[in-house]
Amino acid sequence: MFSEESKVEIFCTKNRRKIWRTRNSEFLSQNLVSTVKNGEGFVMDWRCMSAAATGNLAFVESTMNSQNLFQILKNHF
């Protein structure tokens, strides 16, 4: 059995785009990229898998520690 916790970005805030444009055309609509402003751009999840099957996906709502991990294992394993 293999299990892990990971952080998944919702809005991909780390990706950047390059836009080629001519001089003095930076504010034309085809050269603008819309963005989403938010406070939290990610969720934490826990998942498990084995050679036989995959387990449930659980979302972590607080800081992961041994007590939270035990509770997730108790509920989803």
Side-chain angles (χ1 to χ4, degrees):
M1 181 61 67
F2 173 77
S3 72
E4 71 169 352
E5 308 88 36
S6 64
K7 179 172 86 169
V8 179
E9 290 193 42
I10 298 172
F11 297 109
C12 298
T13 56
K14 293 184 180 179
N15 293 341
R16 295 183 183 240
R17 290 185 183 171
K18 290 186 178 183
I19 299 174
W20 293 91
R21 58 179 171 78
T22 59
R23 182 175 277 215
N24 297 324
S25 65
E26 59 267 12
F27 295 115
L28 294 177
S29 62
Q30 65 264 24
N31 295 333
L32 298 176
V33 177
S34 61
T35 60
V36 176
K37 304 292 184 195
N38 61 342
E40 295 291 325
F42 64 89
V43 294
M44 294 292 294
D45 67 8
W46 176 89
R47 56 188 157 236
C48 67
M49 66 187 88
S50 71
T54 59
N56 294 331
L57 177 66
F59 291 100
V60 180
E61 297 181 8
S62 61
T63 303
M64 181 61 87
N65 57 30
S66 60
Q67 293 172 346
N68 289 344
L69 180 59
F70 179 73
Q71 192 65 34
I72 288 172
L73 291 173
K74 183 178 174 185
N75 293 337
H76 298 283
F77 196 54

